[in-house]
Amino acid sequence: METPPPENETPAGGLSDAERDAVDRMADRDRDVRAHEMAHVIAGRPWAGPPVYMYQMGPDGRRYVIGGFVPIDVTEVKGDPQATVYKMRVVSDAALAPPDPSAADRRVAAIAQAKLQEALAAISSQSRAIREGASPEEADAAAASGLNIRI
């Protein structure tokens, strides 16, 4: 009966047990990161860009995804608080779409929620101005003055 090679030795024609374990872990991470980022892309359309991935070479010579991000537009819609409300809801939902949002994902959601609240306040100001007899231009100016959040 042949004894297996020690864990740090590669058997003829393949990977060692430790290397196979590393490849399995890297493949699992690759799959998890890709699913996480794709959840952002799907939920964030049309304001989410394509995923950007960071790679590491595995002991089998293949590249595995070890991290990534999805760029997303968190700017308000200038002069249109109602459109900003809609957009920030999408952005917030996209940031929190994966089952395990990261700290960066939660920060993006918080930024979107702050801009959402600011847009709602602008809509409220616009409505109040109209109820008080302001012209449409004055009401629009009231709404626009409420969209000044910066990140």
Side-chain angles (χ1 to χ4, degrees):
M1 182 169 174
E2 189 177 318
T3 55
E7 194 171 301
N8 60 351
E9 287 186 28
T10 303
L15 300 174
S16 70
D17 289 343
E19 289 170 325
R20 278 194 301 276
D21 288 344
V23 166
D24 289 345
R25 284 191 307 277
M26 292 175 86
D28 288 345
R29 175 74 178 153
D30 182 289
R31 194 171 28 260
D32 292 346
V33 170
R34 288 177 189 273
H36 179 104
E37 301 309 336
M38 192 50 60
H40 290 311
V41 170
I42 291 168
R45 288 181 183 147
W47 295 288
V52 176
Y53 296 119
M54 282 72 69
Y55 297 89
Q56 182 177 10
M57 190 69 69
D60 59 353
R62 295 184 179 161
R63 293 182 341 148
Y64 293 92
V65 172
I66 59 168
F69 66 92
V70 170
I72 191 158
D73 179 1
V74 296
T75 60
E76 57 276 320
V77 179
K78 298 294 182 200
D80 192 342
Q82 290 179 336
T84 297
V85 166
Y86 174 76
K87 180 179 178 182
M88 291 307 127
R89 285 182 175 147
V90 170
V91 169
S92 179
D93 289 349
L96 301 175
D100 56 341
S102 67
D105 297 338
R106 289 189 294 277
R107 277 192 302 276
V108 169
I111 290 167
Q113 285 297 314
K115 290 184 177 194
L116 169 71
Q117 293 305 313
E118 196 68 24
L120 289 171
I123 291 168
S124 178
S125 294
Q126 186 178 37
S127 295
R128 186 172 35 258
I130 290 170
R131 280 193 314 274
E132 293 173 355
S135 70
E137 294 79 19
E138 292 168 330
D140 287 345
S145 68
L147 292 175
N148 291 325
I149 291 182
R150 297 175 192 257
I151 56 170

